[in-house]
């Protein structure tokens, strides 16, 4: 469990937003929590709402989005990624707001040829600006079974976790001039799509459509530790004294786990890419 920091109430309607935010407790049906938004029948919900799948063929991919918008939360989803030769495919799972200065928190899973590892691509956008990529391999086969991918977003930090193990933290350094997502509600989005111009080995390996349709599967969505907007009627406080997830950072054990992941499985870090950023790294890289 993460370490609670200073506890205090948090008023969730910030800036120009006047929404109704509530603590939610819904580890339930995909019918209740999501809408399939594109794919012309290529995405579907099964097993009485407990399983959702997205498929991709040569004509189209598919995707879905949450019914609710979130302003902070610890959000879990179990995914089973495209098996076999998944080169050129991308399974995206992320939170995002709208508009020209949107905020976004990304997991993207980049496919590979049979027997070669997936790449997990992570990124954080603030005010429409990203370029904060960190990429990892995994220490297991993400196509053999379901694994839990978590975004833990609170006013102190954004923690990316895989099966409860932190792989990356983006800290709130607004006091040092680094933007952090604090005021724009985000929906959850996920999709399976083709990006063989860049996704696998820099675009050198293309999608083999003989293996289509490709399929990604989802289970066990859990947003019980989150604040979400359900209407535009009023606004409410999320009480950090009752919801420690709102004010937690990594404990020493979790820091050790993250260091292990980054030592053994990190393959790209924007904070060390001198060729891409010859004029210097982003401010947070030095903090």
């Amino acid at each position: 469990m993460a370490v609670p920091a200073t506890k205090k109430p948090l008023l969730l309607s910030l800036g120009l937003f006047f929404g109704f935010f509530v603590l939610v407790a819904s580890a339930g049906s995909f019918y209740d929590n999501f809408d399939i938004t594109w794919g012309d029948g290529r995405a579907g919900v099964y097993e009485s709402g407990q399983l959702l799948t997205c498929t991709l063929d040569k004509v189209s991919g598919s995707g879905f989005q949450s019914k609710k918008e979130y302003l902070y939360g610890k959000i879990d989803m179990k995914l089973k990624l495209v098996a076999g030769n998944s080169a050129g495919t991308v399974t995206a799972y992320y939170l995002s707001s709208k508009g020209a200065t949107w905020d976004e928190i990304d997991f993207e899973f980049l496919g590979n040829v049979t027997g070669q590892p997936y790449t997990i691509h992570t990124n954080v956008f603030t005010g429409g600006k990203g370029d904060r990529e960190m990429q990892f391999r995994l220490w297991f086969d993400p196509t053999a079974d379901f694994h839990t991918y978590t975004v833990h977003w609170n006013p102190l930090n954004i923690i990316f976790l895989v099966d409860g193990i932190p792989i990356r933290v983006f800290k709130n350094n607004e006091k040092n001039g680094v933007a952090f997502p604090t005021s724009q509600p985000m929906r959850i989005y996920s999709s399976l799509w083709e990006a063989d111009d860049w996704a696998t080995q820099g675009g050198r390996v293309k999608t083999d459509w003989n293996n289509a349709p490709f399929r990604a599967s989802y289970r066990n969505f859990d947003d019980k530790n989150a604040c979400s907007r359900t209407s535009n009627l009023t606004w409410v406080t999320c009480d950090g004294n009752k919801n420690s997830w709102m004010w937690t950072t990594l404990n020493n054990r979790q820091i050790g786990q993250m260091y292990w992941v980054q030592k053994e499985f990190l393959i790209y870090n924007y904070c060390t890419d001198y060729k891409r950023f010859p004029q210097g790294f982003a401010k947070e890289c030095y903090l």
Side-chain angles (χ1 to χ4, degrees):
M1 181 177 292
V3 177
T6 304
K7 297 179 180 179
K8 55 185 176 180
L10 176 70
L11 190 63
L12 287 181
S13 273
L14 302 172
L16 299 177
F17 290 95
F18 296 90
F20 178 53
F21 287 83
V22 295
L23 288 174
V24 296
S26 57
S29 167
F30 281 104
Y31 290 122
D32 297 333
N33 290 293
F34 293 95
D35 292 316
I36 294 171
T37 50
W38 65 284
D40 195 23
R42 290 172 177 81
V45 178
Y46 308 96
E47 297 181 7
S48 300
Q50 300 307 302
L51 172 69
L52 189 152
T53 66
C54 287
T55 60
L56 164 69
D57 58 31
K58 200 168 186 177
V59 176
S60 178
S62 53
F64 60 94
Q65 69 179 42
S66 62
K67 295 179 183 290
K68 293 172 285 193
E69 293 179 309
Y70 298 86
L71 189 58
Y72 301 128
K74 182 176 181 291
I75 299 169
D76 299 331
M77 182 81 83
K78 286 187 177 289
L79 279 75
K80 184 178 181 182
L81 301 180
V82 175
N85 186 351
S86 58
T89 71
V90 175
T91 305
Y93 170 61
Y94 62 103
L95 290 92
S96 181
S97 60
K98 295 291 189 180
T101 57
W102 78 99
D103 295 336
E104 185 171 323
I105 305 168
D106 287 350
F107 271 116
E108 290 185 311
F109 306 91
L110 313 184
N112 213 333
V113 295
T114 303
Q116 296 299 309
Y118 262 80
T119 295
I120 295 186
H121 176 100
T122 65
N123 203 352
V124 176
F125 287 75
T126 55
K129 183 181 184 303
D131 294 335
R132 298 185 177 103
E133 298 92 344
M134 293 179 70
Q135 295 183 339
F136 305 82
R137 302 297 193 198
L138 286 166
W139 50 96
F140 55 83
D141 179 358
T143 73
D145 203 350
F146 287 87
H147 292 269
T148 303
Y149 302 91
T150 302
V151 172
H152 187 158
W153 168 36
N154 66 27
L156 303 179
N157 47 209
I158 298 165
I159 308 171
F160 296 79
L161 303 101
V162 178
D163 286 340
I165 296 174
I167 64 171
R168 176 183 182 179
V169 174
F170 183 80
K171 295 180 180 180
N172 185 341
N173 278 301
E174 286 186 304
K175 64 182 180 182
N176 295 308
V178 178
F180 188 85
T182 58
S183 62
Q184 297 191 59
M186 302 193 215
R187 290 190 190 275
I188 301 166
Y189 298 88
S190 191
S191 58
L192 176 58
W193 51 290
E194 176 268 322
D196 69 3
D197 56 332
W198 65 271
T200 304
Q201 299 179 33
R204 293 187 297 274
V205 181
K206 303 301 183 182
T207 304
D208 184 352
W209 294 109
N210 291 319
N211 296 308
F214 303 99
R215 184 183 308 273
S217 302
Y218 306 76
R219 288 189 183 276
N220 297 99
F221 170 69
D222 187 351
D223 66 348
K224 65 178 178 292
N225 294 313
C227 300
S228 70
R229 183 162 76 178
T230 56
S231 77
N232 294 320
L233 299 178
T234 184
W235 36 319
V236 72
T237 296
C238 271
D239 187 351
N241 292 304
K242 295 181 180 178
N243 302 281
S244 60
W245 61 267
M246 183 74 81
W247 307 106
T248 57
T249 57
L250 298 184
N251 61 34
N252 288 336
R253 180 180 62 84
Q254 290 173 314
I255 291 171
Q257 290 175 326
M258 185 176 69
Y259 285 167
W260 169 73
V261 170
Q262 294 189 359
K263 178 182 177 182
E264 299 294 332
F265 302 102
L266 179 67
I267 59 172
Y268 178 81
N269 185 350
Y270 74 108
C271 284
T272 60
D273 191 342
Y274 293 94
K275 183 176 181 180
R276 182 180 175 197
F277 301 108
Q279 304 306 314
F281 300 130
K283 186 177 295 185
E284 65 268 17
C285 297
Y286 301 101
L287 299 174

